[in-house]
Amino acid sequence: MTEAMDKTVAVIGLGKLGLVLAAAIGSRGMPVTGYDTDPDRGAMLTDGPLDHVDIAQERGLADALLRARPNIAVVPTVIEAVASADISFVVVPTPSLADGSFSANAAVSVLTAVGEALKEGPPRNRPHLVVLISTVSPGTTRSLLLPTLRQATGGSEGEAFCFCYAPALVALGTVLDGFLSPDFAFVGETEPKGGARLTGVLSHLLTQGTPIHRMSAESVEIAKIGLNNFLTLKISFSNLVGQLCQASPGARASDVLGAIGADSRVGARFLGAGMGYGGPCLPRDTAALAHALETEDLDPRLPQAAAHINTAHTDWLVSLAGPVKGKKICVYGLSYRAGSHISIDSASIALANALDAAGAKVTGIDPLIGAMDLDALNAGIATAADVADATVGADSLVLTIPIPDEDLAGLLVAQPGLRILDVLDKVPTNEPGVIRFGSTA
């Protein structure tokens, strides 16, 4: 690490990301102090059952927690958390507002508390390093967060405190890997001393050789949402190509996109026809970029187009399913991505709802259905965990996530007349009843 004194960490906010961040840091041998307004979240960190859904559904988290717990303490106040540490990582919700920007209310509240804890002087007789992990809108650091800390501490950055913006590049379900072994990490600094210190800490925590991109906090604010917008553009482009291939006898989207992705200027990741994008990050980051562009009187139509294509793709898939009114249709997969129980802004739920609205009798199926929040699912849609039982008597099965080969084989034997819409074009069979998105073959 750059400075030997940066050895202790506080994690303020122990939600789905903060819990994993604390475990990740503790698993690397660093002392961690956790704080959350909900005492149950702290208990999960220190001695809670490892089969809790927020732990069990995060790959590698249970093992990391076992390694980390000897290094973890939980305290009941922000003051105690700050007093225990050289660095405070702040991980709080920044929900989207109606205009597409992110609310910074929770961040302001926590930074005010951190600043008040530092008012009598940093606990280590040097500037306390405050690092915000949560995503914020461009311009928020300089216009709102730094003034909040200055007012609360009565000092300035580089003296009473140092501040960095370092949003996590993670996906729910693989957050631990995202924290410890990302493709790269952000360090958004407001002055050089804080940036150097955070770079030193990350060099110790991250997998050896992980690139660290150090730049201004303002640059990171744009880079974070810009990165996710580039992914949404690739996904929406892929689905448009898939629709064109569907309309072009003899064409297959996987071949077309495979060739395009082989070009090093493009790359193959996130270039595949299938479901639209969803989840807790991509839709809101797309809206945030459009808002930021509009705020500066710049053209927002590119992110808006990605979002429009994404929404329209759901309706197009309904049309691909054929006449659906009165038909019993099962949708296999309700989460925003395969293997996850998270259903926030799930494209699969949007498809199930659209089929229901078109008059189909819909059953939503997911192996993790018992752990899901299904409030966004239309009230008339039935749910099930077992695909074999749920599809008895069904006219069609729509696959939005991969189905195990043995389950598919059993369905084809037990229900030879079942029509299958393979949105991902992954089914390893040439059965006549299978419709593949992006292919007429």
mmCIF file of all heavy atoms in Angstrom, residues 178-196:
data_model
loop_
_atom_site.group_PDB
_atom_site.id
_atom_site.type_symbol
_atom_site.label_atom_id
_atom_site.label_comp_id
_atom_site.label_asym_id
_atom_site.label_seq_id
_atom_site.Cartn_x
_atom_site.Cartn_y
_atom_site.Cartn_z
ATOM 1 N N GLY A 178 -16.525 -9.124 -8.907
ATOM 2 C CA GLY A 178 -16.476 -7.771 -9.436
ATOM 3 C C GLY A 178 -15.666 -6.828 -8.576
ATOM 4 O O GLY A 178 -14.980 -5.934 -9.078
ATOM 5 N N PHE A 179 -15.734 -7.014 -7.264
ATOM 6 C CA PHE A 179 -14.947 -6.170 -6.357
ATOM 7 C C PHE A 179 -13.468 -6.538 -6.378
ATOM 8 O O PHE A 179 -12.601 -5.658 -6.412
ATOM 9 C CB PHE A 179 -15.470 -6.299 -4.923
ATOM 10 C CG PHE A 179 -16.625 -5.395 -4.599
ATOM 11 C CD1 PHE A 179 -17.709 -5.865 -3.861
ATOM 12 C CD2 PHE A 179 -16.644 -4.071 -5.002
ATOM 13 C CE1 PHE A 179 -18.781 -5.036 -3.549
ATOM 14 C CE2 PHE A 179 -17.711 -3.234 -4.698
ATOM 15 C CZ PHE A 179 -18.779 -3.717 -3.971
ATOM 16 N N LEU A 180 -13.171 -7.831 -6.335
ATOM 17 C CA LEU A 180 -11.786 -8.260 -6.150
ATOM 18 C C LEU A 180 -11.036 -8.504 -7.454
ATOM 19 O O LEU A 180 -9.807 -8.365 -7.481
ATOM 20 C CB LEU A 180 -11.744 -9.536 -5.295
ATOM 21 C CG LEU A 180 -12.222 -9.384 -3.855
ATOM 22 C CD1 LEU A 180 -12.144 -10.724 -3.129
ATOM 23 C CD2 LEU A 180 -11.397 -8.328 -3.108
ATOM 24 N N SER A 181 -11.740 -8.872 -8.511
ATOM 25 C CA SER A 181 -11.063 -9.207 -9.773
ATOM 26 C C SER A 181 -11.763 -8.556 -10.963
ATOM 27 O O SER A 181 -12.144 -9.235 -11.924
ATOM 28 C CB SER A 181 -11.034 -10.731 -9.956
ATOM 29 O OG SER A 181 -10.368 -11.358 -8.886
ATOM 30 N N PRO A 182 -11.930 -7.244 -10.937
ATOM 31 C CA PRO A 182 -12.581 -6.582 -12.071
ATOM 32 C C PRO A 182 -11.635 -6.485 -13.269
ATOM 33 O O PRO A 182 -10.423 -6.700 -13.145
ATOM 34 C CB PRO A 182 -12.892 -5.188 -11.515
ATOM 35 C CG PRO A 182 -11.780 -4.940 -10.538
ATOM 36 C CD PRO A 182 -11.481 -6.290 -9.910
ATOM 37 N N ASP A 183 -12.197 -6.164 -14.426
ATOM 38 C CA ASP A 183 -11.339 -5.886 -15.577
ATOM 39 C C ASP A 183 -10.432 -4.696 -15.295
ATOM 40 O O ASP A 183 -9.288 -4.647 -15.744
ATOM 41 C CB ASP A 183 -12.192 -5.594 -16.817
ATOM 42 C CG ASP A 183 -12.899 -6.834 -17.344
ATOM 43 O OD1 ASP A 183 -12.463 -7.962 -17.006
ATOM 44 O OD2 ASP A 183 -13.885 -6.691 -18.087
ATOM 45 N N PHE A 184 -10.973 -3.737 -14.549
ATOM 46 C CA PHE A 184 -10.196 -2.584 -14.093
ATOM 47 C C PHE A 184 -10.969 -1.932 -12.963
ATOM 48 O O PHE A 184 -12.128 -2.286 -12.702
ATOM 49 C CB PHE A 184 -9.953 -1.581 -15.231
ATOM 50 C CG PHE A 184 -11.184 -0.828 -15.665
ATOM 51 C CD1 PHE A 184 -11.505 0.410 -15.117
ATOM 52 C CD2 PHE A 184 -12.034 -1.360 -16.620
ATOM 53 C CE1 PHE A 184 -12.640 1.091 -15.496
ATOM 54 C CE2 PHE A 184 -13.181 -0.693 -17.016
ATOM 55 C CZ PHE A 184 -13.481 0.546 -16.468
ATOM 56 N N ALA A 185 -10.347 -0.990 -12.290
ATOM 57 C CA ALA A 185 -11.010 -0.272 -11.203
ATOM 58 C C ALA A 185 -10.891 1.231 -11.435
ATOM 59 O O ALA A 185 -9.913 1.713 -12.013
ATOM 60 C CB ALA A 185 -10.393 -0.642 -9.858
ATOM 61 N N PHE A 186 -11.902 1.963 -10.977
ATOM 62 C CA PHE A 186 -11.904 3.422 -11.046
ATOM 63 C C PHE A 186 -11.322 4.024 -9.770
ATOM 64 O O PHE A 186 -11.620 3.571 -8.660
ATOM 65 C CB PHE A 186 -13.335 3.953 -11.165
ATOM 66 C CG PHE A 186 -13.952 3.844 -12.525
ATOM 67 C CD1 PHE A 186 -15.172 3.202 -12.690
ATOM 68 C CD2 PHE A 186 -13.344 4.410 -13.638
ATOM 69 C CE1 PHE A 186 -15.769 3.119 -13.934
ATOM 70 C CE2 PHE A 186 -13.938 4.326 -14.893
ATOM 71 C CZ PHE A 186 -15.153 3.683 -15.035
ATOM 72 N N VAL A 187 -10.545 5.074 -9.908
ATOM 73 C CA VAL A 187 -10.199 5.968 -8.809
ATOM 74 C C VAL A 187 -10.494 7.377 -9.299
ATOM 75 O O VAL A 187 -9.780 7.920 -10.142
ATOM 76 C CB VAL A 187 -8.727 5.851 -8.379
ATOM 77 C CG1 VAL A 187 -8.365 6.975 -7.406
ATOM 78 C CG2 VAL A 187 -8.461 4.505 -7.728
ATOM 79 N N GLY A 188 -11.578 7.957 -8.791
ATOM 80 C CA GLY A 188 -11.939 9.324 -9.149
ATOM 81 C C GLY A 188 -11.551 10.257 -8.020
ATOM 82 O O GLY A 188 -12.168 10.247 -6.955
ATOM 83 N N GLU A 189 -10.531 11.062 -8.221
ATOM 84 C CA GLU A 189 -9.990 11.889 -7.137
ATOM 85 C C GLU A 189 -10.447 13.337 -7.256
ATOM 86 O O GLU A 189 -10.739 13.831 -8.347
ATOM 87 C CB GLU A 189 -8.466 11.829 -7.136
ATOM 88 C CG GLU A 189 -7.817 12.365 -8.398
ATOM 89 C CD GLU A 189 -6.318 12.146 -8.408
ATOM 90 O OE1 GLU A 189 -5.865 11.019 -8.130
ATOM 91 O OE2 GLU A 189 -5.599 13.114 -8.704
ATOM 92 N N THR A 190 -10.522 14.000 -6.098
ATOM 93 C CA THR A 190 -10.792 15.439 -6.076
ATOM 94 C C THR A 190 -9.526 16.222 -5.754
ATOM 95 O O THR A 190 -9.504 17.433 -5.895
ATOM 96 C CB THR A 190 -11.877 15.764 -5.031
ATOM 97 O OG1 THR A 190 -11.456 15.300 -3.744
ATOM 98 C CG2 THR A 190 -13.194 15.092 -5.395
ATOM 99 N N GLU A 191 -8.506 15.509 -5.307
ATOM 100 C CA GLU A 191 -7.156 16.073 -5.138
ATOM 101 C C GLU A 191 -6.181 14.893 -5.106
ATOM 102 O O GLU A 191 -6.584 13.758 -4.829
ATOM 103 C CB GLU A 191 -7.054 16.954 -3.880
ATOM 104 C CG GLU A 191 -7.693 16.372 -2.634
ATOM 105 C CD GLU A 191 -6.873 15.257 -2.037
ATOM 106 O OE1 GLU A 191 -5.637 15.410 -1.973
ATOM 107 O OE2 GLU A 191 -7.452 14.227 -1.644
ATOM 108 N N PRO A 192 -4.911 15.098 -5.410
ATOM 109 C CA PRO A 192 -3.982 13.975 -5.640
ATOM 110 C C PRO A 192 -3.728 13.095 -4.425
ATOM 111 O O PRO A 192 -3.537 11.884 -4.581
ATOM 112 C CB PRO A 192 -2.685 14.673 -6.086
ATOM 113 C CG PRO A 192 -3.114 16.007 -6.590
ATOM 114 C CD PRO A 192 -4.294 16.400 -5.759
ATOM 115 N N LYS A 193 -3.730 13.661 -3.226
ATOM 116 C CA LYS A 193 -3.388 12.865 -2.054
ATOM 117 C C LYS A 193 -4.380 11.723 -1.845
ATOM 118 O O LYS A 193 -3.990 10.569 -1.607
ATOM 119 C CB LYS A 193 -3.349 13.756 -0.809
ATOM 120 C CG LYS A 193 -2.841 13.041 0.445
ATOM 121 C CD LYS A 193 -2.900 13.954 1.669
ATOM 122 C CE LYS A 193 -2.017 15.168 1.503
ATOM 123 N NZ LYS A 193 -2.012 16.008 2.725
ATOM 124 N N GLY A 194 -5.661 12.012 -1.949
ATOM 125 C CA GLY A 194 -6.665 10.975 -1.774
ATOM 126 C C GLY A 194 -6.583 9.924 -2.867
ATOM 127 O O GLY A 194 -6.716 8.727 -2.600
ATOM 128 N N GLY A 195 -6.366 10.355 -4.113
ATOM 129 C CA GLY A 195 -6.248 9.408 -5.209
ATOM 130 C C GLY A 195 -5.079 8.461 -5.021
ATOM 131 O O GLY A 195 -5.184 7.255 -5.296
ATOM 132 N N ALA A 196 -3.959 8.984 -4.546
ATOM 133 C CA ALA A 196 -2.778 8.139 -4.320
ATOM 134 C C ALA A 196 -3.044 7.120 -3.214
ATOM 135 O O ALA A 196 -2.659 5.948 -3.321
ATOM 136 C CB ALA A 196 -1.579 9.016 -3.963
#
